[in-house]
Amino acid sequence: MKIAKFWDYQWGKRFPIMFRSTRRIRHKVGIAEVLAQDPKINETELTELARYGPGTKRTVGQYLKYAGLDLVKKKSPGACRQVRDGLKHVPWSDPAEDPLLHPTRDQQRRPGR
């Protein structure tokens, strides 16, 4: 007897939830071309969407560029090369606040942190 995995069942219930979540994320990212690809984007429940966000240290664009993601063409280069070659630092929007560019004395004593 095969042991059931969570991904093996109830897709009729899971897909609508997944699509609602995906649409909320698309709204949060805010790329017009991505929003335009979804014919039901205007049916998205946006209640409390402002509570969640990408943060203030980097923009969504900086992250997408770093990750090599193209949300319009739905392409990703994969992460094998980046992991093998070493992940690169994505600078903060305000370089004056970036701890990697301006480490404190405590951080200077503990390299790699």
Side-chain angles (χ1 to χ4, degrees), residues 15-33:
F15 271 136
I17 294 168
M18 181 191 70
F19 284 123
R20 284 195 308 267
S21 299
T22 302
R23 286 185 179 113
R24 287 174 60 85
I25 292 169
R26 288 177 180 157
H27 270 281
K28 199 62 178 175
V29 170
I31 299 173
E33 293 91 348

Side-chain angles (χ1 to χ4, degrees), residues 29-31 34 58-72 75-77 82 90:
V29 170
I31 299 173
V34 173
R58 296 177 182 94
T59 66
V60 172
Q62 285 174 307
Y63 172 75
L64 294 174
K65 182 177 177 183
Y66 158 77
L69 300 175
D70 185 334
L71 298 181
V72 176
K75 299 225 181 237
S76 168
Q82 288 91 342
V90 179

Side-chain angles (χ1 to χ4, degrees), residues 38-103:
D38 186 342
K40 294 187 176 185
I41 198 68
N42 292 324
E43 298 173 18
T44 306
E45 172 59 54
L46 301 176
T47 303
E48 296 188 357
L49 189 64
R51 287 182 61 185
Y52 307 98
T56 59
K57 302 302 181 189
R58 296 177 182 94
T59 66
V60 172
Q62 285 174 307
Y63 172 75
L64 294 174
K65 182 177 177 183
Y66 158 77
L69 300 175
D70 185 334
L71 298 181
V72 176
K73 294 179 183 175
K74 299 180 182 176
K75 299 225 181 237
S76 168
C80 294
R81 182 178 50 83
Q82 288 91 342
V83 171
R84 183 183 62 241
D85 297 343
L87 297 176
K88 296 183 177 42
H89 174 67
V90 179
W92 290 16
S93 296
D94 183 353
E97 293 182 7
D98 191 329
L100 195 65
L101 299 178
H102 305 284

Side-chain angles (χ1 to χ4, degrees), residues 1-5 7-8:
M1 181 175 167
K2 181 181 171 187
I3 296 174
K5 308 289 189 291
W7 55 80
D8 287 336

